[in-house]
Amino acid sequence: MGSEALLSIGTYLKEGKRIVDEALERYLPGRENFPPTIFESARYSVFAGGKRLRPILCMASAVAVGGVGRTVLPVACAIEMIHTYSLIHDDLPSMDDDDYRRGKLTNHKVFGEGIAILAGDALLTEAFHLMSAWDHMKDVPAERLVTVINEVSEAAGFFGMVGGQVTDLESEGKVVDKETLHYIHVHKTEVMITVSIRAGAILSGAREEELNALTEYGKKIGLAFQIADDILDIESSRDVLGKDTGSDEERKKVTYPALMGLEPSRKKAFELVQGALADIQYFDEKADPLRSIAKFIVERKS
Ligand code: GRG
């Protein structure tokens, strides 16, 4: 994953996914360990066919500041493990109660609720085990790694994704204002995307102004990604998306299109992407993958 001219964003993402999948295969213990069910359950969801957007962003950000994508792979994969845990838990009967994800039955439908909860717990814990495993990250100064671990834990926890999920749960079926909707989207989705980008840059020794620009880029594409997700829930089909659509409306979930309308939401996502491109305008061609990913985020079909 260098900065070579991009054949197409599709080819780039496919190659990124291949690299991430290969690394996850190495980092994630297999069912030859005891007790086998938990490894099988965790692997079932990790290898269910996600886009790997967050780890790809982490590597692309490393490259944009002059680093090497593969150097940040352990942290990139740890972030994907945290993302997978959040999806497993989000699908549980006590949360969104979804039967399908990424075109396959959800984890609890296959392994039962208890094992699904534990697979999520194990993935979250394993992510921090992996990030702090010194032998994987020997080339990175320790203080950069500690900073990244600190930021990732904040993004995933009380003040990040968990906070967003709690507010989302508590808002179901209620009339919610724009500020609450913004809080949910930022905390549930944007912060994990921004921290993926920051992690790649920090580990690669980004200068302060580079890090600031990438953070602004991350905040904008992170929000655009969630707005696009809200739109896909309305406009896409289960065949394309791999999960049930129309579920936001059914559950009376607060979304951008529900609050602002479909066209204004599309416009907002487009403006965010333009803003993100402006944030990184002074980066050279090594940031081209980040530019293409920003556009892909609002053009994607799944
Ligand atoms: C359980 C603490 C906890 C949090 C759950 C991630 C999440 C928070 C909920 C999932 C539902 C949802 C719509 C989340 C917003 C983030 C999002 C769009 C996730 C899907 O991410 P993709 O499209 O998924 O990157 P793939 O399958 O490609 O990995």
Side-chain angles (χ1 to χ4, degrees), residues 49-54 80 83 85-87 89-91 95-96 101-102 156 161-162 165 188-189 225-226 229-230 243 248 253 300 302:
K51 293 183 287 296
R52 312 304 194 199
L53 183 69
R54 293 152 192 81
E80 185 68 10
H83 170 61
Y85 122 77
S86 77
L87 298 180
H89 282 194
D90 185 66
D91 291 334
M95 296 220 196
D96 269 5
R101 158 87 57 191
R102 296 164 166 174
M161 190 170 61
V162 171
Q165 181 78 347
K188 214 172 88 169
T189 310
F225 182 82
Q226 182 56 59
D229 200 70
D230 287 352
K243 60 174 188 171
D248 290 341
K253 275 216 173 198
R300 73 200 166 101
S302 67

Side-chain angles (χ1 to χ4, degrees), residues 189-231:
T189 310
E190 179 259 289
V191 289
M192 283 303 292
I193 289 184
T194 302
V195 85
S196 306
I197 295 160
R198 283 183 60 86
I202 293 169
L203 293 170
S204 308
R207 287 180 288 114
E208 199 181 330
E209 56 273 28
E210 289 176 320
L211 192 56
N212 290 341
L214 287 169
T215 305
E216 291 310 310
Y217 160 92
K219 286 181 176 177
K220 294 191 182 80
I221 66 156
L223 193 53
F225 182 82
Q226 182 56 59
I227 297 174
D229 200 70
D230 287 352
I231 296 172

Side-chain angles (χ1 to χ4, degrees), residues 130-152:
L130 175 59
M131 282 192 286
S132 58
W134 192 238
D135 52 334
H136 291 312
M137 300 293 290
K138 278 198 283 279
D139 299 334
V140 174
E143 76 240 39
R144 287 186 199 164
L145 196 51
V146 173
T147 302
V148 163
I149 294 173
N150 181 266
E151 288 202 12
V152 172

